[in-house]
């Protein structure tokens, strides 16, 4: 005799299917979590190394709040003092989140930048990772230059046809520099990093 199809049988079958799928997803998560975390940590270390000068000792991750946002940053030590900072900074671009690692020297100069992740349009905003004219301008971007795209009166040359992405990238760099300014290690003297 065939089982009678009713609401109770359907609910039971659906519940068992959901429990089975949940168990499988939980096992996959448990198996893949460690390798994913290791890959993310390796990518972060590579990005930090790319945005900081060579030769110093890099601290463990630290956090600081600026304008209601928590930032992760690293200090590079050399000769008993901080020689550079690496700041993970994120903002919204045209296609979604744009995340950067920004290297900042204690005097406020941008040493280098590296895109960690983005959701920008391929062939347009995605050029923030490959357009040499755009990416090379951040190497040694002086503290006295205005952090805004040229269209807005600043010193940043935007990516062709990608002003929104260029503005978002510039904002992320500006946030990183503002954080370092706030973290002034010479606060006891009252002197700002940017006044040196």
């Amino acid at each position: 005799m065939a089982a009678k199809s009713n609401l109770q049988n359907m609910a039971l079958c659906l519940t068992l299917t959901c429990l089975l799928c949940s168990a499988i997803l939980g096992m996959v998560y448990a198996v893949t979590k460690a390798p994913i975390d290791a890959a993310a940590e390796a990518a972060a270390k590579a990005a930090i190394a790319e945005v900081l000068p060579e030769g110093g000792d890099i601290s463990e991750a630290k956090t600081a709040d600026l304008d209601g946002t928590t930032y992760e940053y690293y200090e590079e030590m050399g000769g008993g003092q901080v020689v550079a900072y690496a700041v993970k900074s994120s903002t919204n671009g045209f296609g979604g989140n744009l995340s950067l690692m920004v290297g900042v020297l204690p005097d406020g100069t941008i040493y280098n930048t590296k895109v960690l992740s983005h959701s920008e349009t391929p062939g347009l905003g995605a050029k923030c990772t490959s357009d040499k004219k755009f990416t090379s301008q951040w190497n040694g971007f002086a503290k006295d230059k205005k952090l805004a795209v040229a269209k807005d009166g600043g010193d940043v040359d935007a990516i062709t046809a990608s002003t929104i992405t260029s503005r978002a990238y510039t904002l992320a760099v500006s946030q990183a520099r503002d954080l370092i300014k706030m973290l002034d290690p010479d606060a006891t003297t009252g002197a700002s990093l940017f006044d040196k």
Side-chain angles (χ1 to χ4, degrees), residues 27-51:
M27 288 187 319
V28 169
Y29 175 79
V31 169
T32 60
K33 183 176 182 346
I36 290 171
D37 289 347
E41 185 177 334
K45 285 182 180 181
I48 292 166
E50 194 170 323
V51 301

Side-chain angles (χ1 to χ4, degrees), residues 98 100 113 115 118-138 157-163 165-166 169:
L98 175 65
L100 307 177
T113 63
V115 176
H118 70 85
S119 303
E120 301 305 288
T121 307
L124 294 172
K127 289 183 180 179
C128 66
T129 62
S130 61
D131 184 331
K132 295 297 180 197
K133 182 180 176 191
F134 181 75
T135 58
S136 65
Q137 71 184 320
W138 298 106
D157 293 326
I159 302 166
T160 303
S162 296
T163 306
T165 300
S166 301
Y169 198 107

Side-chain angles (χ1 to χ4, degrees), residues 66-67 71 87-91 98 100-104 108-110 112-113 138 141-143 145-149 156 166-182 194:
L66 177 67
D67 298 330
Y71 294 89
V87 180
K88 185 176 180 183
S89 181
S90 298
T91 189
L98 175 65
L100 307 177
M101 188 66 74
V102 182
V104 184
T109 299
I110 305 303
N112 202 356
T113 63
W138 298 106
F141 193 88
K143 66 179 179 179
K145 288 186 175 181
K146 185 175 180 185
L147 271 170
V149 295
V156 175
S166 301
R167 283 180 177 141
Y169 198 107
T170 304
L171 177 61
V173 172
S174 179
Q175 291 169 342
R177 189 159 76 173
D178 290 346
L179 179 76
I180 299 310
K181 188 174 182 179
M182 185 200 75
F194 292 56

Side-chain angles (χ1 to χ4, degrees), residues 66-77:
L66 177 67
D67 298 330
T69 303
T70 302
Y71 294 89
E72 183 178 296
Y73 72 97
Y74 302 82
E75 296 175 340
E76 181 177 21
M77 303 296 288

